Amino acid sequence: IRTGDLNNDPDVMLSFAEMDEYFARLDAFSAILHGGDVRVTWSSGAAPAQTTVIQPLTRDWKTLPVAFWFVWLVGSLCLLVGAWVYVLKPGDQATRLFAFSGLLLMVAAFPTAVYYARELSYSGMLLRTLLAINHVGAYLYVAFMIGLFLSYPRVLARPVHLWWLAVPYLLLFVLDATHSLVSAEDHLLAIATGLLLMFAAAAAQWWLTRQQPVERAALRWFLLAMLVGLSLTTATLILPPLFGVP
């Protein structure tokens, strides 16, 4: 067992080759764990090697770590806030975009809960699938948030054009999923660039509403909700290690 085998987040891999090797080793571990009793040979320092027989057990939901439930709570709150805003004004373009962003934050967050709950190994295919769900949720979240700040409180782009913002991010996801990007880190650069565009659109809205206190107040609430969502999502990456999860 290598140190990297216990890494719970595939996104830290620097190259697709490294990621493929990581998933292949997880598949090998998963096959061993599903093959009955496991004989482990180990040694400590200069002591002679010893062999221990381990019987893999099915994990009960009660044994899941606090980090798992925290991530699920964050994702659920994002969904509920988005749904609440939509119910208040269902016919509005901005509230639809905000509701979709809450849903997509949940989609991006839930797979990470499974990453952090892993003790040794899931199948590589399962983690590949979860990673793809996480990435598509993050890509589309950025697209819908850019659209939100291009349409609220001032309309800076025609509503019919806003949905096209999802197209380049879906293309990025296809390139990401097929390992056609330059490196495994490029999806983080794409998301960071999208966040910068989102903040640029928000800054433009802030400037345009400088003499409109009602619109400025509404924009402030949207920005607050966005910052809370991003902060909670970021916390899902920081807090698990504090709870003792690698």
Side-chain angles (χ1 to χ4, degrees):
I1 297 177
R2 303 174 185 171
T3 302
D5 295 332
L6 302 179
N7 175 29
N8 284 342
D9 190 353
D11 274 329
V12 302
M13 304 297 171
L14 300 179
S15 69
F16 289 120
E18 184 180 354
M19 187 177 291
D20 287 338
E21 181 183 6
Y22 170 76
F23 287 130
R25 290 181 62 82
L26 290 186
D27 278 331
F29 285 133
S30 181
I32 292 172
L33 292 174
H34 285 85
D37 292 349
V38 179
R39 298 176 63 87
V40 179
T41 301
W42 57 278
S43 63
S44 177
Q50 302 182 50
T51 299
T52 302
V53 178
I54 299 174
Q55 183 180 18
L57 300 175
T58 301
R59 192 171 191 180
D60 187 85
W61 66 270
K62 296 178 183 178
T63 66
L64 293 172
V66 174
F68 176 89
W69 300 112
F70 176 79
V71 174
W72 272 74
L73 176 62
V74 169
S76 300
L77 285 175
C78 292
L79 176 64
L80 289 174
V81 170
W84 174 65
V85 171
Y86 176 77
V87 169
L88 293 178
K89 203 171 182 181
D92 187 74
Q93 174 82 351
T95 57
R96 287 198 294 269
L97 290 169
F98 188 81
F100 271 114
S101 70
L103 171 64
L104 291 166
L105 262 182
M106 181 196 72
V107 169
F110 278 2
T112 63
V114 182
Y115 301 166
Y116 297 139
R118 179 172 72 91
E119 290 186 336
L120 178 58
S121 182
Y122 296 134
S123 72
M125 180 56 68
L126 173 61
L127 283 187
R128 283 181 187 274
T129 302
L130 292 172
L131 185 66
I133 294 172
N134 170 262
H135 284 191
V136 74
Y139 282 135
L140 292 179
Y141 167 77
V142 170
F144 280 109
M145 288 303 293
I146 294 173
L148 171 63
F149 287 112
L150 288 177
S151 61
Y152 188 85
R154 298 292 182 87
V155 177
L156 304 182
R158 294 180 60 185
V160 69
H161 294 155
L162 296 177
W163 299 97
W164 286 98
L165 288 169
V167 173
Y169 282 97
L170 287 174
L171 291 176
L172 275 170
F173 170 70
V174 171
L175 293 174
D176 184 5
T178 57
H179 291 189
S180 299
L181 298 176
V182 175
S183 73
E185 293 181 304
D186 286 349
H187 78 281
L188 297 176
L189 177 61
I191 292 172
T193 302
L195 290 175
L196 288 176
L197 292 174
M198 178 183 71
F199 282 117
Q205 292 284 6
W206 190 264
W207 172 257
L208 292 172
T209 58
R210 62 190 182 281
Q211 296 180 348
Q212 302 294 329
V214 176
E215 291 182 348
R216 174 65 67 85
L219 178 61
R220 186 180 293 113
W221 279 107
F222 267 106
L223 286 171
L224 178 61
M226 179 196 70
L227 289 174
V228 169
L230 287 176
S231 298
L232 288 174
T233 304
T234 302
T236 64
L237 302 177
I238 297 174
L239 291 183
L242 297 181
F243 287 118
V245 180

